[in-house]
Amino acid sequence: MTNASESGGCSPHAGQAQAAATLLATVSAPGRGATDRVLARVADQMKHDGIRLLGALRAARGAGATGHCDSDLTLLPDGPEARITQDLGAGSTACRMDAGALEAAVAIVTGRLAGEGADLLMLNKFGLSEAEGRGFRALMAEALGRGVPVLVGLTPAHRAAFDRFADGMATALPPDEAAILAWCRAAVRGGDAGPAPSQPDAILPDRTGSGSGAQAIREPRS
């Protein structure tokens, strides 16, 4: 097991290794936005099945969306939406993560897990923030410690960091909706089994963040 101080954040507790091996899975679909689309379809079916979902998925870009920096997350199950990037202005080719907005979104989902519980945690990706020990990383470890299955999108750029986090306990699913649904249903059925959860190896990060924070959280568009 990778030590938390070496990896920069939480990893599933060693005592949960056997259970977490069946409770953590990744999806990587080729093509821009393909993983987001397949996860959205799976989420819709899971909600139709009455599965209690928590997490965050990339919000669909509407016809009026502008700017290459726009990155919005829809917080499951029913919003709100959070813009987690900042546009640096006309002429800029760079984007910047709004750390405060991201951590505000993480805090909302973390509060829901603590207060309401969940059958499944679904996240659009294990990205740079998670690779650096921030973002949704600690929430993933907490969910696994509670016996809640975690499904997350993954790109090649952050696969090595994810592998260090998962320590061999993740299942790589094909980008096939039926296969993903089958894993989700099986994981949810077995999610309540096992002993009482242990705490993750590391302390949860500060949720206050910086930047626009909660001001970027908004209700879903009507």
Side-chain angles (χ1 to χ4, degrees):
M1 171 67 65
T2 302
N3 185 281
S5 63
E6 297 172 346
S7 62
C10 297
S11 60
H13 193 278
Q16 298 296 320
Q18 184 174 2
T22 64
L23 293 180
L24 177 60
T26 64
V27 177
S28 301
R32 185 178 179 85
T35 299
D36 295 323
R37 290 189 290 274
V38 71
L39 288 177
R41 291 194 297 270
V42 170
D44 286 343
Q45 185 60 55
M46 290 285 95
K47 287 189 284 187
H48 182 269
D49 291 350
I51 301 301
R52 296 179 303 156
L53 285 183
L54 286 182
L57 296 181
R58 183 67 60 85
R61 289 172 62 91
T66 60
H68 65 283
C69 285
D70 293 353
S71 183
D72 298 338
L73 294 180
T74 297
L75 306 186
L76 300 175
D78 299 310
E81 287 187 5
R83 176 151 295 175
I84 59 170
T85 52
Q86 302 176 55
D87 194 326
L88 299 183
S92 173
T93 59
C95 305
R96 184 171 64 191
M97 176 66 67
D98 186 335
L102 177 59
E103 292 304 324
V106 172
I108 290 173
V109 182
T110 300
R112 289 175 178 175
L113 178 64
E116 306 166 18
D119 296 323
L120 181 71
L121 178 69
M122 186 180 295
L123 299 169
N124 69 307
K125 68 176 180 178
F126 186 97
L128 179 61
S129 294
E130 288 73 28
E132 294 177 344
R134 298 177 285 105
F136 288 98
R137 183 179 180 127
L139 178 59
M140 292 171 63
E142 182 176 344
L144 293 170
R146 290 171 176 262
V148 176
V150 176
L151 175 65
V152 61
L154 183 63
T155 62
H158 301 110
R159 185 175 299 279
F162 176 83
D163 288 344
R164 290 192 295 271
F165 167 79
D167 200 17
M169 296 187 292
T171 298
L173 298 172
D176 175 78
E177 187 174 344
I180 298 168
L181 286 168
W183 180 88
C184 290
R185 288 164 176 155
V188 167
R189 284 196 300 269
D192 292 332
S198 300
Q199 290 297 318
D201 289 336
I203 297 172
L204 297 181
D206 179 16
R207 298 295 185 196
T208 57
S210 60
S212 59
Q215 286 78 7
I217 308 296
R218 59 191 182 279
E219 294 302 321
R221 300 182 184 92
S222 57

